[in-house]
Amino acid sequence: MFIAGSSAFWASTTTIRSSREFAFGVKGLQRFVRCEPLRRVHECVFGVLALESQPIDPRL
């Protein structure tokens, strides 16, 4: 079943998510190059991992 506009919503959500992942990656690299504590670098890494994880279906 096709719902009008659902593919556009999915595309914009995917674009936003990938932009956030990219921003976290760049921020992590900047922190690494500035020799900040690894704890600060890992904050960005965990942010990327959280965005990449699939949402859990609440019906489960």
Side-chain angles (χ1 to χ4, degrees), residues 1-2 6 13 16-17 25 28 34-35 42 44-46 48 50-51:
M1 180 172 144
F2 178 75
S6 64
T13 303
I16 292 169
R17 184 176 285 188
R34 286 190 302 235
C35 298
H42 284 131
C44 298
V45 172
F46 292 134
V48 170
L51 287 172

Side-chain angles (χ1 to χ4, degrees), residues 20-50:
R20 288 179 181 165
E21 287 178 16
F22 180 78
F24 269 125
V26 170
K27 188 68 167 177
L29 286 173
Q30 289 173 341
R31 291 178 178 184
F32 179 76
V33 169
R34 286 190 302 235
C35 298
E36 291 189 22
L38 287 179
R39 172 183 48 84
R40 299 268 297 150
V41 177
H42 284 131
E43 288 174 353
C44 298
V45 172
F46 292 134
V48 170
L49 291 174

